[in-house]
């Protein structure tokens, strides 16, 4: 386990705290004090401030990277050199170029690699992806993914030199990959349009970002991120298809409402901006954030000799989309997604619903009316003229 | 009452059906049959297929235009000529140019004019606007307005020559004006970025559109419209401010859930794509859509000699924003909003939160930690370096 | 308008504030100061502290009683004597005996009488009742009605001598009549079981009550009331039928969520226990509480010469049910509902679903299994033995 | 693992399917075919139709009973005789007498015993219990627990001779124990009032039940169960305290909404009565139902030598409450809960909020008014008279 911050804590909780057959044998932190405290808290046999030593530890089978963004490449490079399986937190790199170097390292070394994009692994997302694969929504038209909260916990996130950017590189990476999973990993992200601004915080990086990613099929992946949302953390996804719709609320409204006047003394609830009034807790946070199913897939995949659902290649594609976003935010126009590697089986065709034809006219809409008739709206193929008829319902 | 389609029906229901002191004296439709049936159904003394006659009818004090988009200008022109108060449905024009001509007509004639933008009048929106004015949300950063459904009822909507466009001109006009009300009517819409596509229907107009409108203060008004949403009608608005958040769901989830197996025979529920399984009815539709409070404001304003909340000028601004959207969808870049008239009291300053300074460093974030300390993240004003300290909580 | 308290205020807002053809000509209050202030605020021509004078005022066509419970009978008696139409707030009486006297008065005098039970008139309830009448839910089995809040505003409510009881007489009267509307007004309430307690407040009346009302058909009307609920006002109804379900949330979760940090100064939101954090406002309160549709029905009924949906007779039945509740709370057993008047067209038969018979066995359940078979569970009519078979799905 | 029905399946999924350090070594079923198929599916080394052999298997450390209610006692008796730890599904017995015999067996044999009441272990419930313990809700007044669905899957549930009753013994056992956890296990359940009826199904057992359980402190635990609910499964709990409220929705509305027109072919979604229209899936069912945290606690408790959160003693108390419910349903009055064993540290005092006294009067309510004053309602301690004052807010 590399890293003892919030993300290292979530990963460790998930890996250890569940009657698991897996264990953490050595933990690395940049400061000895934190490494030691973390090892003690979680009953980890060894701790170290030597990154190389942690990775090369003979009991280390899998290297789990939970470090700041600017430390990923070095850790991946050491893991690849040591021939160890490596799981890296999101985003993979600060730029597509950095991500590509990491991808090349692990592929050249032939080591197992997993991209720890937890939010595609939430139980709700996994079940939704299954429904989409079964055709419940028809063809996917539009996916909207939102992650907003009042800003990250650690200092380095706020420094674009270390993080690679602001809210987009921090949270947009989730949104981009969630949309890509729904729209199809075979469906090439073609171009992006993105707005960013720094509206609230005294920082150089963006604290707001909205982006549209257009895919080969015509589908749109939309993301919205903010480090200035008030009211807690808002994690929502929406998927629109030709035959159905999915609405997911992962955090703020999940069927758990608590009101407290806060007047009975003591610490009463986790602090979500406020600790009185109506609060919306989450039952099991590591589960709701996808960590449980993510590590299960990663480690099962390693055991079974198959790639996991998310690999470094996916991390690289996400970085390439984000790079295009930052370019678009500057040029103020759509920018192409530049991908040196694109690994699709085949091109994805344009979204197409074949309109019914009746008497040589295209049927636009058919509606059952309260008076028992069917109203049909047509378009003449030649003239483009719109007409309307009413027939008795069968 | 000009028009006997769905919108004429909603307007009439609202005006008559509530022990009102107002009454409809003459109804106009393009076909005699519909005019007659409508008059009979609603107990309206006179009906006609002569637009001018309806407007000039001596009992007509107020002309209410519920006609297709390409018929607005003629009706406004006749009403202005007759010196009658005129209320026109949304959108005002098909283009800003057309809207400007209508605005000029009513202002030159000095007649009372109201823009029937119902969705800024829903009880939830009115109460939200009041909270925003009182400062509950601080400065507004971002408004997101969504209107999606499976497509309009009348044939003419689908013909861009008559409607002026597709989903954006039909529904985006609502979203633009909702955002503008929250962000502030004094806050100039500067430029827009917009994506449109025709993904599902065999038509020339767009059936999907997403747009960002950047205002003078830096605030963003975002709209999302679709004529291909599955699952009913989705009307939602979200407002983010520096100190708060509002989430409005006007239609699909309002605390009214009905499940029916549909097996007890007969017509069981209004048809919202399906009529079995879980349905989400709306108690009083004309109220939920804002018609009740809209006509109250319009007619009270007329009685009191003040302008209503929404005038032709607002309709013109909306059309100017939409024109810029269509340009942006073609040029694939941000396009300026071109306004011949801009009637603000004063420029709106850039959104600005003054960051606290401690020892010459800007405070980015302050957080109470579970261990009883306060964690503070700072930015050095010169170097931009990010640092972090921990102090005991008071 | 008799009464200038909260209820008089709600009634007046509803009657006047909506471009109405109705007007209030005289207002009565027990103190001159309040009568005068109220008249001034609402532009009412006359005010008085003389109950008889208000009722006999020549411009008074309809007497609206918004007085404390112990003042209803006198006002009704004067209105009946004056031959005026009379609308009385809920509960009609403090006891069934008192309610019966009032019912007798208006019926003997032959005056129009309406029972102002607003909560059966909320738009959601009216639309639900319509769905139930159409058969969307099949036969009604169980209605649950909940009204809980932190306690009433006026002092007299807390005095059981004046109010006739506590939370049950205050709010249970709503719940009983809501359930009765869904279960059917022809369906006799037979017996009740009720628990009450005074858990929180230093009062003689109950601040909590839960009751079950068993109807002739076997259906159950359940109510839950509390004067000690934390988190605002909770108004929810649930209806279960053999073929469907309705869930109504009238107040606390209606698609309007507002978060405010409360730090931008000034009064930011209506006080619902708290004024910071997550708040759940209601757009148009008088509409959501049913006042608008209630007065429309009452006054339309008067104009049309038909009885309104709720009459004094209904108020009397409700009082009789409540009397039985208070008896049951004391005897700790089911108590019969004693009705001197029961005006049903015919007895309501016992709820009965005819179970399908297959090969002489009663079918209990049929379920489509994932493996493509149908599982059927049977009961042998003689022995009562349960058995199970599996057949291929058609 | 004893039993291969739905409950055996849930238990097995939970125990095996999560990179667990635990394993199932032998499975028992009454029919060889099912035992064999189950063992094959889940990779369990041995299967048997010999209950004793399964329990005495040398690799069996823990006996998990997932059998019909009438088979619990025999399995417990064999496990106790074999000195094996034993975990038994709910309800423990069909009657308190049966449950008491099982409790005596395991306690006499000194074996570890766990009562598999999963619903007190859902992540939402566990976190809620923690908030309650911390005082977020003050003293608990009222807990309402609801479990309703269209009826159980297996035939034996419908036979009261085998199940011990109907919906109450099947689902009320959950509700009773959920309420007991919130109200406090030290708080004696004193008496119950219960209604049951068979409204829909052709069976001898009740398909509906509503009960009130009064505890020593005055708190009320309310349950509502039905085998005839339409619309899926409804699992909700509500907790009211003197200072707060919790609302839990475990199944039907958890932030996962899916609409499908069902027209894109094939099996699209799990069948929840319907498979088109709006569906409300659950992400990870075994987690949402509490199985994951239940087995973690049970097996951790065994490893750590402490009792689990739920033991056979709790199962016995639940059966005693249910016995009283069935008596009450017959006698139509409150019935005492008869407990041969009651293991509380000390009696629980009556709920008591000390009302503030001002000038010798008890303060009933204090409210901040919009006009800046504080309204106070008092009760005179001697006369019981209610009065009211208004003072300026500080």
């Amino acid at each position: 386990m590399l890293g003892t911050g919030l993300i290292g804590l979530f990963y460790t909780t998930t890996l250890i705290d569940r009657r698991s057959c897996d264990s953490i044998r050595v933990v690395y932190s940049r400061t000895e004090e934190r490494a030691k405290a973390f090892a003690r808290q979680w009953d980890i046999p060894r701790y170290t401030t030597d990154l190389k030593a942690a990775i090369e530890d003979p009991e280390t089978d899998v290297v789990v990277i939970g470090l700041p963004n600017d430390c990923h490449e070095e850790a991946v490079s050491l893991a690849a050199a040591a021939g160890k399986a490596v799981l890296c937190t999101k985003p993979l790199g600060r730029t597509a170029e950095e991500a590509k170097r990491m991808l090349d390292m692990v592929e050249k070394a032939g080591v197992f690699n997993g991209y720890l994009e937890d939010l595609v692994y939430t139980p709700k997302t996994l079940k939704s992806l299954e429904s989409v694969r079964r055709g419940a929504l028809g063809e996917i038209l539009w996916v909207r993914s939102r992650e907003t909260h009042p800003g990250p916990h650690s200092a380095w996130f706020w420094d674009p030199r270390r993080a690679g950017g602001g809210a987009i590189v921090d949270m947009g990476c989730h949104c981009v990959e969630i949309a890509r999973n729904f729209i199809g990993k075979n469906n090439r992200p073609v171009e992006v349009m993105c707005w960013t601004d720094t509206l609230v915080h005294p920082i150089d990086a963006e604290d707001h970002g909205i982006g549209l990613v257009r895919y080969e099929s015509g589908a749109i992946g939309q993301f919205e991120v903010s480090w200035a949302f008030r009211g807690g953390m808002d994690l929502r996804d929406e998927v629109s298809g030709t035959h159905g719709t999915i609405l997911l609320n992962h955090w703020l409204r999940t069927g758990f409402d608590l009101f407290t006047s806060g007047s009975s003394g003591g610490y009463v609830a986790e602090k979500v901006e406020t600790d009185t009034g109506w609060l919306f807790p989450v039952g099991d946070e590591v589960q709701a954030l996808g960590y449980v199913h993510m590590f299960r897939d990663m480690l099962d995949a390693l055991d079974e000799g198959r790639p996991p659902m998310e690999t470094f290649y996916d991390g690289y594609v996400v970085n390439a989309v984000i790079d295009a976003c930052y370019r678009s935010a500057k040029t103020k126009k759509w920018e192409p997604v530049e991908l040196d590697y694109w690994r699709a089986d085949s091109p994805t065709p344009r979204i197409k619903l074949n309109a019914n034809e009746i008497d040589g006219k295209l049927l636009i809409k058919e509606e059952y009316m309260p008076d028992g008739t069917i109203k049909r709206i047509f378009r003449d193929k030649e003239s483009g003229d719109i007409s309307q008829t009413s027939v008795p319902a069968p």
Side-chain angles (χ1 to χ4, degrees), chain A:
Chain A
M1 177 60 53
L2 311 181
T4 56
L6 186 65
I7 196 71
L9 184 66
F10 271 134
Y11 288 174
T12 301
T13 307
T14 308
L15 284 166
I16 291 185
D17 202 18
R18 304 196 169 236
R19 299 196 64 74
S20 171
C21 58
D22 305 306
S23 68
I24 299 178
R25 310 305 299 167
V26 53
V27 62
Y28 158 85
S29 173
R30 278 152 300 165
T31 70
E32 180 162 353
E33 188 194 1
R34 297 187 62 183
K36 190 174 171 181
F38 199 89
R40 186 153 1 100
Q41 185 190 350
W42 291 99
D43 226 357
I44 298 171
R46 286 182 299 288
Y47 62 89
T48 178
T49 59
D50 179 340
L51 187 60
K52 194 157 179 283
I55 290 169
E56 295 183 349
D57 188 291
E59 282 201 304
T60 298
D61 295 324
V62 182
V63 175
V64 181
I65 304 175
L67 299 168
N69 298 352
D70 56 338
C71 306
H72 293 185
E73 187 172 1
E74 187 193 356
V76 168
S77 145
L78 289 168
K84 302 278 174 93
V86 58
L87 310 181
C88 183
T89 193
K90 60 89 219 172
L92 184 57
R94 285 171 294 180
T95 61
E97 203 188 324
E98 195 176 66
K100 193 182 157 196
R101 284 198 302 267
M102 286 188 260
L103 173 59
D104 287 341
M105 283 173 197
V106 294
E107 297 199 335
K108 233 170 262 171
V111 297
F112 180 93
N113 57 92
Y115 175 52
L116 297 177
E117 170 42 66
D118 54 292
L119 291 182
V120 306
Y121 283 103
T122 78
K124 286 175 181 168
T125 307
L126 290 176
K127 202 156 201 172
S128 299
L129 287 169
E130 210 185 303
S131 293
V132 167
R133 269 192 294 271
R134 279 177 182 159
L137 268 63
E139 281 199 79
I140 300 307
L141 302 170
W142 175 26
V143 179
R144 189 163 76 158
S145 182
R146 143 84 63 105
E147 181 164 353
T148 56
H149 59 52
H153 297 273
S154 294
W156 66 265
F157 276 104
W158 300 89
D159 184 345
R161 295 167 295 190
R162 299 199 61 195
I168 291 180
V169 96
D170 175 25
M171 306 188 294
C173 60
H174 289 303
C175 303
V176 166
E177 189 62 359
I178 288 167
R180 209 179 139 238
N181 269 276
F182 280 111
I183 290 171
K185 288 197 172 180
N186 218 30
N187 202 336
R188 185 174 183 136
V190 177
E191 55 180 359
V192 309
M193 196 285 151
C194 182
W195 162 84
T196 64
D197 206 341
T198 310
L199 292 173
V200 170
H201 298 293
I203 54 172
D204 292 328
E206 78 280 0
D207 57 18
H208 280 81
I210 303 175
L212 302 179
V213 183
R214 202 174 60 77
Y215 286 78
E216 207 174 3
S217 69
I220 288 288
Q222 176 182 349
F223 67 80
E224 303 165 7
V225 295
S226 165
W227 278 350
F229 180 78
R230 304 306 303 257
M233 177 159 75
D234 195 10
L235 281 185
R236 276 182 289 158
D237 303 311
E238 305 183 13
V239 189
S240 292
T242 50
H243 294 83
T245 299
I246 289 174
L247 307 173
L248 301 180
N249 195 323
H250 296 286
W251 208 256
L252 215 47
R253 297 291 184 273
T254 63
F256 190 164
D257 303 12
L258 185 154
F259 178 88
T260 176
S261 68
S263 58
S264 24
Y267 174 79
V268 292
E270 62 184 326
K271 189 168 184 68
V272 192
E273 289 220 51
T274 49
D275 54 10
T276 60
W278 282 105
L279 308 176
F280 300 90
V282 169
D284 182 341
E285 300 193 358
V286 297
Q287 157 97 7
L289 290 172
Y291 295 118
V292 174
H293 291 79
M294 177 175 74
F295 278 113
R296 196 200 306 179
D297 174 56
M298 292 288 166
L299 299 173
D300 283 353
L302 182 58
D303 289 351
E304 297 162 14
R306 60 166 173 87
M309 201 169 117
E310 293 284 317
T311 66
F312 274 28
Y313 171 68
D314 297 300
Y316 159 69
V317 173
V318 170
N319 270 124
V321 170
I322 291 176
D323 280 5
C325 286
Y326 283 124
R327 283 201 311 277
S328 168
K330 274 189 198 133
T331 62
K332 302 190 75 171
K333 52 184 191 182
W334 287 85
E335 288 286 344
V337 177
E338 289 168 8
L339 284 169
D340 290 338
Y341 303 143
W342 175 245
R343 298 170 177 172
D345 307 334
S346 56
T348 304
R350 166 81 185 176
I351 292 164
K352 179 131 191 60
L353 271 192
N354 289 311
N356 287 324
E357 262 188 70
I358 302 186
D359 301 335
K361 288 180 176 173
L362 295 170
L363 180 64
I364 296 179
K365 202 186 177 190
E366 189 172 72
E367 195 170 0
Y368 286 78
M369 305 304 286
D371 65 1
T373 60
I374 299 178
K375 181 161 128 184
R376 290 187 180 132
I377 299 177
F378 293 100
R379 176 170 185 266
D380 188 285
K381 289 204 287 184
E382 321 289 89
S383 66
D385 286 350
I386 306 291
S387 59
Q388 166 175 334
T389 65
S390 229
V391 295

